[in-house]
Amino acid sequence: MPRTADRTTEKITETSTDRSTDRTAARTAGRPGTASAGRSTRPADVLAAGCLCWRRAGSGLEVLLIHRPRYDDWSFPKGKQDEGETLPETAHREVSEEIGLLPRLGVPLPTIRYEVKDGTKDVHYWAAEFGPGARPEPDGREVDEVRWVGPDEAHRMLTNPSDREPLAALVALHEREDLATRPAIVVRHAKAKPRSAWSRAEGDRPLAATGKRQALAVTRLLRAWSPERVVTSPWLRCLSTVVPYARKAGVPVRERPHLTEASHKRHPKKAAAVAQTMFDKDAPVALCTHRPVLPTILKVIARNASPELAALLPAKDPYLSPGEMIVLQISRRHRRQVVSVELVKPFDD
């Protein structure tokens, strides 16, 4: 199917590969016209996404390679972006289609670019952890064999040399004990009806028609990270943005009045305390709040991030557009340590 034109995921990402000073370059991905740092900024003709699926093997690491009979090559699960998809959704869908497992996206890895018959192709990768009981199965059409191998063997087997770049980043994160992460996601609620057109209680102001479409897009997009709990302002426009995901996923919703605009104005420290729970508790989480609350949330994130990653956080009002989210990957080994930051916009027609 044709790729989207200019309405897909927009990400600004830097991934920590060392908890001190050694870090990969910042990356902008997802929207045609962007590329990895140091590469040409000419728009890619084809966009694709996938995952480096990995699991623990004793004290080491194994990655999953797939064999595609059409090309007789060994690569990672990936595929082209469909119309109306964001790149995280593409990665999530392609992995599930090709190996029959649903990934939870982890740390974003370097984007690779190479030439195909249709021009230049950018492939965006994320790490995706699987447990020892996961049993990938080839789909029998595009993939006829799957194989768990160590990094050295993967390096030898990969047909496309450029695939070794995200593999090297994956190995580096593993060696620094920051590959195993959990997501923490901050969502600005979808577009609400204008204040000027609403005369009733502010907490009851609903989503506009555009906001309802954005909320559907947020619901689809959150599946790529599968948060296991949702923390939200109890005002209607926040609930309408994230509760649909929670219901579909069967995860609990925790309403926190301190995340409302009114409470935050009186007691910003209490809103900050709610935000800090994203780091203090181990479950993957999504937090939904309002534009005026975002500066406080961002300060909490910055306290738990390196200066390099904190510099990537939005610094100017409105910080996030309606429905936009910040996706953090937090190290499970080094608790509270932010490993990567992504700014992600849901597809919005």
Side-chain angles (χ1 to χ4, degrees):
M1 294 185 182
R3 63 176 172 84
T4 54
D6 199 30
R7 300 172 298 174
T8 178
T9 306
E10 182 179 17
K11 300 189 300 179
I12 303 176
T13 308
E14 181 175 291
T15 303
S16 169
T17 56
D18 183 276
R19 301 182 70 243
S20 54
T21 58
D22 179 21
R23 302 182 186 277
T24 61
R27 182 181 71 157
T28 304
R31 172 175 292 183
T34 63
S36 295
R39 291 195 177 96
S40 169
T41 58
R42 180 168 62 87
D45 300 295
V46 180
L47 291 176
C51 289
L52 272 65
C53 304
W54 67 275
R55 69 180 185 183
R56 299 179 188 274
S59 59
L61 171 72
E62 288 184 333
V63 295
L64 186 73
L65 299 187
I66 63 168
H67 182 263
R68 300 183 300 173
R70 179 181 177 186
Y71 304 103
D72 189 22
D73 68 353
W74 287 95
S75 63
F76 303 117
K78 64 180 183 299
K80 293 180 182 179
Q81 184 183 42
D82 279 351
E83 183 72 30
E85 269 186 338
T86 60
L87 286 166
E89 289 175 277
T90 301
H92 188 268
R93 174 183 55 77
E94 286 289 342
V95 172
S96 64
E97 289 177 356
E98 292 189 343
I99 65 170
L101 297 176
L102 288 174
R104 169 182 282 145
L105 301 190
V107 179
L109 299 170
T111 298
I112 65 170
R113 170 171 287 196
Y114 53 92
E115 296 298 320
V116 294
K117 67 177 182 179
D118 295 326
T120 56
K121 181 176 182 179
D122 279 356
V123 184
H124 300 262
Y125 281 117
W126 284 262
E129 181 181 6
F130 287 96
R135 296 291 182 265
E137 295 288 342
D139 65 6
R141 299 182 304 277
E142 294 189 31
V143 179
D144 65 353
E145 186 178 353
V146 297
R147 191 179 299 179
W148 288 106
V149 298
D152 290 342
E153 187 174 357
H155 187 274
R156 291 191 297 269
M157 290 176 61
L158 286 167
T159 304
N160 185 346
S162 59
D163 278 336
R164 294 169 182 164
E165 183 179 354
L167 175 64
L170 188 88
V171 171
L173 285 163
H174 178 260
E175 290 174 346
R176 291 164 175 81
E177 299 183 309
D178 280 333
L179 179 57
T181 61
R182 60 179 176 83
I185 304 167
V186 176
V187 186
R188 180 184 170 185
H189 67 73
K191 186 175 179 60
K193 286 190 175 182
R195 296 178 195 269
S196 60
W198 187 253
S199 58
R200 284 174 273 178
E202 179 64 11
D204 294 333
R205 185 155 58 95
L207 296 182
T210 298
K212 292 177 181 179
R213 295 194 297 272
Q214 288 172 341
L216 290 173
V218 167
T219 298
R220 295 193 304 269
L221 186 54
L222 284 176
R223 291 180 58 218
W225 292 279
S226 303
E228 296 174 2
R229 63 188 179 100
V230 170
V231 177
T232 181
S233 158
W235 285 6
L236 180 61
R237 50 194 182 271
C238 279
L239 294 174
S240 299
T241 300
V242 292
V243 167
Y245 163 78
R247 288 176 176 167
K248 285 181 177 294
V251 301
V253 176
R254 301 287 184 259
E255 298 182 24
R256 296 292 183 258
H258 297 312
L259 293 176
T260 64
E261 292 183 37
S263 178
H264 172 263
K265 187 174 182 179
R266 296 190 301 270
H267 306 292
K269 290 184 179 179
K270 292 183 178 180
V274 174
Q276 184 60 41
T277 65
M278 294 191 298
F279 300 91
D280 296 340
K281 297 184 178 181
D282 291 334
V285 61
L287 180 150
C288 186
T289 191
H290 310 262
R291 180 190 57 78
V293 187
L294 288 174
T296 296
I297 306 298
L298 292 168
K299 288 179 182 177
V300 173
I301 296 173
R303 288 202 302 265
N304 291 277
S306 68
E308 294 90 343
L309 290 175
L312 297 178
L313 296 170
K316 296 180 180 180
D317 192 18
Y319 306 103
L320 297 175
S321 58
E324 189 174 11
M325 58 187 71
I326 302 170
V327 179
L328 310 172
Q329 293 294 335
I330 301 173
S331 173
R332 299 209 306 269
R333 175 66 178 85
H334 302 115
R335 290 194 64 192
R336 303 183 183 180
Q337 179 70 27
V338 176
V339 178
S340 66
V341 172
E342 299 174 85
L343 303 184
V344 184
K345 291 184 179 181
F347 181 88
D348 180 18
D349 58 0

